[in-house]
Amino acid sequence: MDRKLLDRVLGQVSRPVRYMGNEYNMVEKDPEEVSIRFAFAFPDVYEVGMSHLGMKILYHLMNEREDTFCERVFAPWVDMEEKMRENRIPLFTLETRDPVSEFDFVGFTLQYEMCYTNLLNMLDLAGIPLLAKDRTKQDPFVIAGGPCTYNVEPLADFLDLVTMGEGEEQISELLDLYGEWKKKGGDREFFLRQAAAVPGVYVPQFYDVTYRDNGQVESVKPNTAAAPDRITKRIVRDLDQTYYPDRMIVPFMDIVHDRIVLELFRGCSRGCRFCQAGMIYRPVRERSMDKLLELAEKLVKSTGYEEISLSSLSTSDYSRLEDLVKQLMERFRDKRISLSLPSLRLDSFSRDFIAEIQKVRKTGLTFAPEAGTQRLRDVINKGVTEDDLVRSVTDAFVSGWNTVKLYFMIGLPTETEEDLRGIAELARLVTDCYYGLEQKKRQKGLRITVSTSSFVPKPFTPFQWEPQNAMEELREKQRFLRKALRMKHVEYNWNDPELSFLEAVFARGDRRLGAVLLSAWKNGARFDSWADQFRMDCWMDAFRRNHLDPGFYVYRKREREEVLPWDHIDVGVSKAFLWKEKEKAGRGERTPDCRVSCSGCGIRKTWEGIC
Ligand code: SF4
């Protein structure tokens, strides 16, 4: 790598810090002294990738190994890409600035479907053949993990390996295996065969997919004895015994979440029917409070951060949350360290608790009722009521808050105009709660932000068989809400239905979509989740060229018997349970929280005694 050239180029692009590394707590090693080099690749810009907890964990975990050096690489922003191509600078890592093509592994984390073209672009910038079948012994193994891998079929042609589920134990087993293979020698396929035997590892090229005349998948079957019929995701049983970093890289620039992240637990016991995370990350496993306090002490010391985020899918469900918050506040009060909690559930929000957090610094308050009426909240199994909302926001206003964010989804199965009107009515109710208080009891300047996202049916949810609303229908619903929410103190945000449409295509897509991805990327698609970069024309042209109708993936109601492209992946939650949940949704019947009673989702069958 020509360092002088790179330095000159960095002087010509926006936010050069994105590509410079050398941050506090960055790991430094001599590449000559390790036998495995792993480029951890995040297919979005630095400030998004650096906020990702999985990357923080796996980066430090791999670097604990003496034989491995894990480095980071992010998608170069469009100005940097242009300069790199112009000056023939290959994709490089932040730690050593060495070309990614020289590494043993390039490991992508796939957090959302609209980053897929960035993955292709990064491989291309690295000079690594895009198709797995074209790679030779000189090329790295391209591996992927993260939530999108639960249906990774649209990327199957581009990936050598996929790790299903939680990576802490699995990645170590894979690196051990690789170390042995590298010492002994052998061709790529030999390593892949051995890797396919590691529980939770999926090697897409070892599976053949056949299709019916009507375009549906007929079967997905292994084409070698080395590959199992079904790949079961990995989980760690005991979070206290599982690696968690006691330091985190502190960036020089603002990133999306610039603070310490304490992961309280994994999984979610609620069972919302639209939520993929709630199903694929089952079961709930908590970190003990002692462990969390110990980690917090270490992380505050090692990073100097003044904010700790208490993270998990449903933070207010942590069994000792109030205790934990009290203890953290006591320990760090002198240091003026604040706590932030992501989206709170309406039913577990108490005035004492919020007063405790407020003692240090006020953080934003977000509530996610998800649907405007009780009927629809029952359909989606979101167990919160209007009374919960009234109680919570009133408590918040009394405790000094004047800004509230409300999140909803539109386009949910069975939704009617009544449900949309309910969204506006809830916003009005929040306003009434505020004005219902004596003037001296509330802060001035009420602000309510209502945000809606469009429902995207996701694999491994009870709604995986459901169609998505047509784009025009979603636009009409947004227009309706724009009018209905025209009220004082209320701001309304909505998302682009075109993006939700593509997300729905790729979330439930099959292998044939690989060709579409490739065409869209060649047409110039990059950073599709960024509104200023997204170009629908690149995508529609790609579908046309490859004779695939995107509506086939989005607007079709699937029958129970249909083979789904992800049926060979086992997340522990059974298909029978998901179907039962779908039927209960149709009847508006609720399913209890796992903490109240077990509904037999299948997890206990796979991991005995875990919940
Ligand atoms: S097996 Fe029962 S308790 Fe465990 S995650 Fe499934 S429904 Fe919940």
Side-chain angles (χ1 to χ4, degrees):
M1 172 78 66
D2 182 340
R3 304 283 162 126
K4 278 194 184 147
L5 173 65
L6 182 57
D7 287 342
R8 206 170 54 238
V9 161
L10 289 180
Q12 299 166 357
V13 297
S14 58
R15 306 191 186 187
V17 180
R18 282 171 170 163
Y19 317 103
M20 288 164 68
N22 273 317
E23 309 96 318
Y24 192 61
N25 286 335
M26 180 187 94
V27 175
E28 288 180 80
K29 289 188 182 185
D30 181 352
E32 298 295 322
E33 292 192 349
V34 296
S35 53
I36 307 174
R37 296 189 70 186
F38 194 107
F40 196 117
F42 196 96
D44 208 322
V45 286
Y46 176 89
E47 50 272 42
V48 177
M50 282 300 290
S51 305
H52 177 242
L53 177 62
M55 179 176 231
K56 293 178 206 282
I57 296 175
L58 293 176
Y59 173 78
H60 288 289
L61 172 104
M62 282 192 258
N63 278 319
E64 292 279 311
R65 294 173 64 106
E66 271 186 19
D67 64 349
T68 304
F69 188 8
C70 175
E71 305 182 37
R72 295 160 299 150
V73 57
F74 301 90
W77 187 243
V78 286
D79 59 346
M80 181 64 171
E81 180 193 341
E82 194 186 316
K83 292 286 166 202
M84 286 168 75
R85 291 195 188 275
E86 200 178 294
N87 293 283
R88 296 179 185 281
I89 298 172
L91 191 73
F92 58 91
T93 58
L94 269 55
E95 277 70 9
T96 54
R97 298 190 178 183
D98 283 343
V100 164
S101 59
E102 292 174 5
F103 283 62
D104 298 279
F105 288 99
V106 186
F108 286 92
T109 176
L110 303 174
Q111 297 297 311
Y112 36 86
E113 291 79 5
M114 299 321 293
C115 70
Y116 289 176
T117 53
N118 280 5
L119 180 145
L120 298 189
N121 203 37
M122 288 171 81
L123 289 178
D124 184 64
L125 278 167
I128 298 169
L130 297 186
L131 295 171
K133 69 176 176 48
D134 295 337
R135 290 180 201 130
T136 67
K137 214 170 169 192
Q138 274 64 51
D139 298 307
F141 284 100
V142 178
I143 178 169
C148 291
T149 56
Y150 290 95
N151 176 30
V152 80
E153 294 307 292
L155 285 173
D157 294 344
F158 311 106
L159 301 172
D160 296 306
L161 296 154
V162 181
T163 54
M164 312 296 316
E166 295 165 2
E168 286 96 338
E169 292 168 358
Q170 195 182 24
I171 198 75
S172 301
E173 291 164 26
L174 208 52
L175 292 176
D176 286 345
L177 199 66
Y178 181 81
E180 286 299 308
W181 173 78
K182 206 172 170 184
K183 255 188 250 156
K184 287 191 190 139
D187 59 15
R188 278 175 80 88
E189 183 160 334
F190 182 69
F191 171 67
L192 289 175
R193 280 176 188 280
Q194 287 189 311
V198 174
V201 171
Y202 172 42
V203 180
Q205 61 186 267
F206 290 162
Y207 295 79
D208 290 333
V209 184
T210 57
Y211 300 92
R212 294 181 191 281
D213 291 343
N214 63 7
Q216 295 171 12
V217 171
E218 184 178 48
S219 67
V220 184
K221 288 202 180 113
N223 54 30
T224 161
D229 290 346
R230 296 189 83 204
I231 304 101
T232 306
K233 77 168 184 192
R234 290 288 289 269
I235 58 166
V236 292
R237 274 191 172 251
D238 183 348
L239 284 195
D240 279 1
Q241 301 300 323
T242 301
Y243 177 81
Y244 198 79
D246 54 16
R247 64 206 158 116
M248 288 176 182
I249 294 177
V250 184
F252 292 128
M253 67 183 288
D254 278 348
I255 59 170
V256 179
H257 300 296
D258 202 4
R259 51 195 168 231
I260 290 168
V261 187
L262 268 190
E263 186 196 34
L264 308 192
F265 63 92
R266 291 189 186 165
C268 176
S269 57
R270 300 278 179 166
C272 297
R273 294 179 177 129
F274 59 85
C275 180
Q276 188 189 40
M279 296 292 162
I280 60 178
Y281 295 137
R282 281 181 181 216
V284 169
R285 286 140 299 147
E286 289 195 347
R287 220 169 232 118
S288 71
M289 200 165 86
D290 287 347
K291 186 76 189 173
L292 289 167
L293 292 170
E294 177 198 321
L295 285 168
E297 290 275 4
K298 287 182 179 163
L299 285 162
V300 166
K301 219 175 266 167
S302 68
T303 61
Y305 270 126
E306 290 175 344
E307 187 175 349
I308 301 175
S309 164
L310 304 182
S311 157
S312 48
L313 288 176
S314 178
T315 295
S316 42
D317 285 341
Y318 182 65
S319 57
R320 297 186 64 190
L321 186 64
E322 303 215 10
D323 237 9
L324 176 70
V325 166
K326 265 194 196 122
Q327 295 229 23
L328 285 169
M329 293 311 233
E330 258 166 46
R331 275 183 203 213
F332 299 121
R333 185 160 295 141
D334 297 347
K335 295 195 170 93
R336 305 257 331 138
I337 285 171
S338 66
L339 296 184
S340 64
L341 292 105
S343 167
L344 289 166
R345 283 197 61 102
L346 303 176
D347 48 352
S348 46
F349 182 88
S350 83
R351 191 180 299 184
D352 290 351
F353 173 59
I354 207 68
E356 195 65 40
I357 307 176
Q358 201 204 357
K359 279 182 195 155
V360 175
R361 206 179 293 164
K362 233 185 280 162
T363 50
L365 267 191
T366 55
F367 300 106
E370 309 288 2
T373 59
Q374 195 57 49
R375 184 202 69 81
L376 191 52
R377 284 194 294 274
D378 287 347
V379 168
I380 63 176
N381 206 38
K382 184 91 190 179
V384 292
T385 64
E386 209 170 277
D387 288 349
D388 293 326
L389 179 68
V390 169
R391 189 177 43 78
S392 306
V393 292
T394 306
D395 281 352
F397 292 145
V398 170
S399 306
W401 264 264
N402 57 1
T403 308
V404 173
K405 288 184 185 159
L406 299 172
Y407 287 106
F408 297 92
M409 234 176 234
I410 57 168
L412 284 161
T414 77
E415 185 184 60
T416 63
E417 196 175 300
E418 182 68 28
D419 301 304
L420 295 176
R421 211 170 295 120
I423 293 177
E425 274 159 23
L426 286 185
R428 201 181 312 278
L429 192 64
V430 173
T431 314
D432 292 347
C433 291
Y434 177 82
Y435 283 110
L437 291 171
E438 278 177 66
Q439 209 166 357
K440 61 175 190 248
K441 279 199 177 161
R442 53 174 150 93
Q443 289 281 325
K444 272 195 191 136
L446 171 68
R447 264 182 44 218
I448 302 167
T449 310
V450 175
S451 302
T452 60
S453 61
S454 305
F455 165 68
V456 176
K458 294 268 176 157
F460 297 108
T461 66
F463 293 155
Q464 65 181 355
W465 292 277
E466 297 290 343
Q468 187 182 45
N469 276 183
M471 277 187 273
E472 197 36 55
E473 211 177 334
L474 290 169
R475 284 196 195 97
E476 186 49 48
K477 289 181 178 182
Q478 291 172 342
R479 275 194 289 273
F480 178 91
L481 283 172
R482 283 212 296 271
K483 255 197 219 156
L485 286 163
R486 233 176 258 150
M487 46 180 103
K488 216 173 159 196
H489 310 297
V490 177
E491 187 188 310
Y492 173 46
N493 298 324
W494 61 94
N495 72 338
D496 181 354
E498 289 185 340
L499 264 185
S500 308
F501 173 81
L502 284 179
E503 201 184 321
V505 172
F506 287 95
R508 294 187 297 172
D510 54 50
R511 285 191 184 192
R512 292 169 296 189
L513 289 170
V516 175
L517 275 175
L518 203 52
S519 301
W521 168 73
K522 284 182 186 160
N523 285 344
R526 315 262 189 287
F527 288 105
D528 298 288
S529 59
W530 291 69
D532 58 340
Q533 298 299 319
F534 176 63
R535 284 176 44 204
M536 190 65 168
D537 57 325
C538 296
W539 288 97
M540 294 321 282
D541 177 74
F543 285 112
R544 260 191 309 274
R545 272 174 201 274
N546 293 286
H547 313 292
L548 277 180
D549 169 17
F552 171 80
Y553 297 98
V554 180
Y555 298 140
R556 202 165 49 82
K557 198 173 176 77
R558 278 76 167 158
E559 296 301 324
R560 186 175 188 174
E561 309 65 50
E562 181 169 339
V563 177
L564 303 171
W566 53 92
D567 274 353
H568 56 302
I569 305 298
D570 177 10
V571 297
V573 175
S574 71
K575 204 171 171 182
F577 170 79
L578 295 175
W579 183 264
K580 210 164 84 193
E581 280 295 290
K582 171 198 141 62
E583 293 200 311
K584 282 173 88 175
R587 299 192 295 269
E589 268 174 43
R590 302 260 330 274
T591 293
D593 187 309
C594 297
R595 290 170 305 173
V596 176
S597 72
C598 172
S599 307
C601 75
I603 289 285
R604 283 181 185 176
K605 272 196 188 148
T606 312
W607 296 281
E608 211 180 308
I610 198 152
C611 53

